[in-house]
Amino acid sequence: MQVDSGRGASYTVPCDDYVHVVEFSPFDSGSAASLLAYGGNQYVVVGTCRFQEEDMEVEGVEFTTLRIFHHALRVDCLAWSPESRLDKLPQLIRFCTAAADRKVRLLTSDLQNQHEVKVMEGHTSYINHLVFEPTEGKQMASVSDDHTCRVWDLEGNETTTFRLRSPGVSVCWHPEDAFKLMVAEKKGTIRFYDLVTQQAILSLDCGQSPLMSADWCLTNTIKVGAVAGSDWVIWDITRSSYPQEKRPAHVERAGNFRWSRVNENLFSTTGCPGKISSQLLVHHLGHPQPVMIGSATVGAGLSWHRSLPLCVIGGDRKLSFWMTEM
């Protein structure tokens, strides 16, 4: 593993507008290429990505647009459904979004002529994060500045509401533990809720605020990570409610934390967008310093590829992809 002193993106894909949010689908779509969605000021682009690391015939990256969805407002967050498939006919694309009107939108398309948008109302303030139930995709969860986490079915019914003690910033649903929901709150607490009893069963405390983003490790369910203030923090949830490791990451406040989907020791953080550029750091738990430092003009969003050590952030009319040398 090489330590980088700061570099531009491995690959970029041009876009027509500023990209506010970008997400690789974490699920198998039945295609050799990866599904990717990015959203901007009144649109969501859904496409597939193929990288030279996966296919010798690709030079760098090959992005193919499948469909552009009109979206009434700027897209603030987006989550993929595991039901999205490209290997069946009709094909199915399904994802949900949130925008400043406090509504969750569920978008479903067969990429031909069937398109459906369901609007879900209930939150009374800004929605910060969304997730689909990862095994069947029949439910979604959202967290908001209104101090709630809400669970919805695909018909738009609110099935469960968890009252929080501060704004909800992240919500995670693990495929190996589908009856639990992890909810991170801005004041520095992460709670696990049992969806059957609807009770909190475990809480973690990062000892500082604001907690801006948290993630539950896909490849090791006992690992949870977050950024709070300008630090990253990692817990082993079987050992203590207090962090096992904590390090300063960004000069100013950190914005996002995401675990790699292929390596339980690899994760990335971003700084809050500055006036000119935003910093992407890739960290490895075995290394005292970041293993990669990337600089992007005012980045937004952060997502890892489902099978490569590669992450993407959005920016001004482009997507930037960073490959980490393992």
Side-chain angles (χ1 to χ4, degrees):
M1 194 169 247
Q2 300 149 354
V3 177
D4 271 315
S5 61
R7 62 179 172 91
S10 310
Y11 313 115
T12 56
V13 168
C15 308
D16 288 341
D17 193 3
Y18 188 89
V19 177
H20 290 285
V21 60
V22 57
E23 291 289 342
F24 276 116
S25 171
F27 308 110
D28 179 11
S29 66
S31 158
S34 290
L35 279 172
L36 180 130
Y38 65 89
N41 283 325
Q42 285 185 322
Y43 71 92
V44 176
V45 175
V46 167
T48 58
C49 278
R50 209 72 181 115
F51 296 91
Q52 64 184 27
E53 284 78 4
E54 306 170 281
D55 185 342
M56 303 285 281
E57 291 178 12
V58 172
E59 280 187 39
V61 59
E62 187 176 272
F63 182 81
T64 307
T65 300
L66 297 176
R67 182 174 159 83
I68 300 171
F69 295 81
H70 175 73
H71 196 274
L73 296 125
R74 187 182 102 174
V75 182
D76 290 324
C77 44
L78 183 149
W80 278 99
S81 163
E83 292 190 282
S84 296
R85 302 292 298 189
L86 297 175
D87 59 343
K88 297 193 172 98
L89 286 173
Q91 293 179 317
L92 178 68
I93 292 291
R94 178 170 284 159
F95 59 93
C96 61
T97 63
D101 61 358
R102 309 165 186 176
K103 294 171 186 171
V104 176
R105 286 173 174 78
L106 174 66
L107 293 92
T108 306
S109 172
D110 66 357
L111 300 177
Q112 301 291 324
N113 22 6
Q114 293 289 107
H115 309 292
E116 186 187 3
V117 181
K118 268 206 175 73
V119 179
M120 303 171 194
E121 300 187 43
H123 280 297
T124 58
S125 189
Y126 195 82
I127 298 166
N128 293 307
H129 197 212
L130 296 163
V131 68
F132 266 89
E133 190 283 315
T135 57
E136 295 178 1
K138 302 301 185 193
Q139 294 174 287
M140 296 159 287
S142 54
V143 286
S144 162
D145 282 353
D146 66 11
H147 295 208
T148 66
C149 170
R150 298 172 195 242
V151 180
W152 315 81
D153 66 19
L154 297 188
E155 297 307 310
N157 303 306
E158 193 179 312
T159 56
T160 307
T161 305
F162 296 109
R163 306 268 161 216
L164 313 177
R165 294 171 201 178
S166 64
V169 293
S170 295
V171 57
C172 300
W173 216 324
H174 203 289
E176 289 170 35
D177 219 340
F179 294 102
K180 289 196 191 101
L181 208 53
M182 187 194 97
V183 179
E185 295 188 31
K186 196 168 188 175
K187 74 170 191 184
T189 307
I190 297 173
R191 284 189 185 83
F192 289 81
Y193 293 91
D194 183 314
L195 288 162
V196 180
T197 64
Q198 300 192 6
Q199 299 295 313
I201 47 176
L202 176 71
S203 73
L204 307 174
D205 185 358
C206 70
Q208 66 195 93
S209 64
L211 192 164
M212 296 303 289
S213 171
D215 197 19
W216 193 353
C217 183
L218 179 66
T219 49
N220 186 343
T221 55
I222 69 170
K223 284 185 175 176
V224 170
V227 284
S230 57
D231 301 348
W232 59 256
V233 285
I234 306 279
W235 291 263
D236 170 341
I237 64 174
T238 61
R239 295 175 68 170
S240 171
S241 61
Y242 293 101
Q244 192 183 7
E245 285 201 56
K246 180 164 126 175
R247 295 229 177 94
H250 297 271
V251 180
E252 292 178 17
R253 207 171 68 200
N256 285 306
F257 181 106
R258 294 287 184 273
W259 288 105
S260 157
R261 294 186 174 122
V262 292
N263 183 329
E264 65 171 79
N265 293 310
L266 201 63
F267 60 95
S268 55
T269 60
T270 56
C272 283
K275 290 184 179 66
I276 300 160
S277 69
S278 174
Q279 205 178 37
L280 166 78
L281 301 179
V282 176
H283 314 263
H284 188 283
L285 283 174
H287 289 249
Q289 299 296 324
V291 293
M292 198 210 71
I293 301 170
S295 176
T297 47
V298 191
L302 173 63
S303 184
W304 284 89
H305 191 277
R306 60 180 291 271
S307 57
L308 293 172
L310 173 137
C311 52
V312 60
I313 60 177
D316 190 8
R317 292 194 288 276
K318 67 178 176 186
L319 299 174
S320 300
F321 300 88
W322 275 271
M323 182 66 78
T324 302
E325 304 300 327
M326 298 294 291

